[in-house]
Amino acid sequence: METPENIQKLVDLLANNSNEEYNAVLNDFDFSTIDFKPYQSWSSKKYTRNCLYKDLNFELILLCWEHGQETPIHGHDGEDCWVYLLEGEMKEVFFNMDDNDNLIADDSQTVETNQVTFMDDSQGFHKLKNGHDGRSMSLHLYAKPIENCESFDEKSQQFVKRSLNFDTNSDKY
C-alpha cells in the first residue's frame, strides 16, 4: 500500500531532520491535512495501535482510545517517544522507583489536543489514559521503532518484557 501524500510529507520531514528536531516538526506540521479515518480502528476492549509508517529509523503509530482506556505503566526499551494528541484529552502519569525499589507515581499532566509530549527511559516510566468523555486519538513517533518494552504487571507487581504488536498496519515497510 502506498503511503498517502500528506502522511508521506510528514515522513519526509522526519527523515530529513534529527531526533532533536522532531518536537518542532510535530508542533509545526498541519495535521488537519491528513485524513486519519482509513487508519482508525476502535475497540471497546482496549486502545488500538495502528501503524502508519515504519522503517529502521522511526515509526509512526496512530492510537485510538475509547473513554477510560489506558496503557499499562511502561518504559520505551531505550528509545525516544513523542506523542501528538490529535483529538480528545489524555492524562499522563509518570513513575519512578523509590529507594526501596517500589514503583511510585511522582508527577502527572493533562495532555490536550494539538499538544506534544516526550518520554524516554531516563525519565522513568509512564502511562497514558483517555480521561476524556469521548474518544481520543494520538500519534506516536518512536525513534527507533520499539519491538518490546518493560511493562508493569499489576497482579505480580513486577515489570515484565512485553512484545508490541499492531492492530492494523499500512504495509509500508
Side-chain angles (χ1 to χ4, degrees):
M1 173 191 260
E2 185 175 324
T3 303
E5 180 180 347
N6 289 334
I7 292 176
Q8 188 61 53
K9 284 181 187 175
L10 177 58
V11 166
D12 291 345
L13 280 170
L14 294 168
N16 291 311
N17 283 279
S18 68
N19 292 17
E20 291 78 23
E21 299 164 309
Y22 283 174
N23 202 62
V25 169
L26 293 173
N27 275 312
D28 294 342
F29 192 82
D30 182 4
F31 286 97
S32 70
T33 65
I34 297 177
D35 178 12
F36 287 102
K37 284 187 178 101
Y39 305 98
Q40 293 176 17
S41 170
W42 301 92
S43 169
S44 61
K45 295 181 180 11
K46 65 176 187 69
Y47 67 93
T48 62
R49 299 179 79 245
N50 308 285
C51 185
L52 302 179
Y53 180 85
K54 180 177 178 180
D55 66 18
L56 296 175
N57 298 310
F58 63 88
E59 64 186 344
L60 284 170
I61 303 172
L62 181 70
L63 272 67
C64 298
W65 311 76
E66 296 286 1
H67 172 73
Q69 293 177 337
E70 64 184 75
T71 67
I73 299 166
H74 64 279
H76 291 93
D77 203 32
E79 304 304 341
D80 294 340
C81 170
W82 292 261
V83 176
Y84 184 92
L85 191 60
L86 295 162
E87 73 179 50
E89 184 178 285
M90 305 291 290
K91 182 174 184 177
E92 184 173 26
V93 182
F94 301 92
F95 297 83
N96 274 297
M97 303 303 270
D98 69 11
D99 294 337
N100 296 318
D101 285 333
N102 295 311
L103 188 65
I104 56 166
D106 60 4
D107 200 6
S108 68
Q109 69 177 350
T110 299
V111 184
E112 298 179 354
T113 300
N114 301 323
Q115 184 179 347
V116 176
T117 67
F118 174 80
M119 185 68 183
D120 67 10
D121 290 342
S122 72
Q123 299 175 49
F125 305 94
H126 77 155
K127 76 174 179 176
L128 293 165
K129 179 179 182 175
N130 179 16
H132 180 62
D133 287 338
R135 291 176 163 175
S136 290
M137 196 167 56
S138 54
L139 184 67
H140 296 238
L141 167 61
Y142 299 101
K144 305 207 183 252
I146 299 176
E147 305 293 330
N148 304 286
C149 74
E150 294 291 320
S151 178
F152 190 70
D153 180 63
E154 296 286 339
K155 289 180 183 174
S156 70
Q157 293 290 295
Q158 294 185 11
F159 279 94
V160 296
K161 191 92 161 170
R162 184 174 137 215
S163 294
L164 300 175
N165 300 304
F166 302 120
D167 294 288
T168 64
N169 68 59
S170 69
D171 299 324
K172 177 60 179 171
Y173 56 89

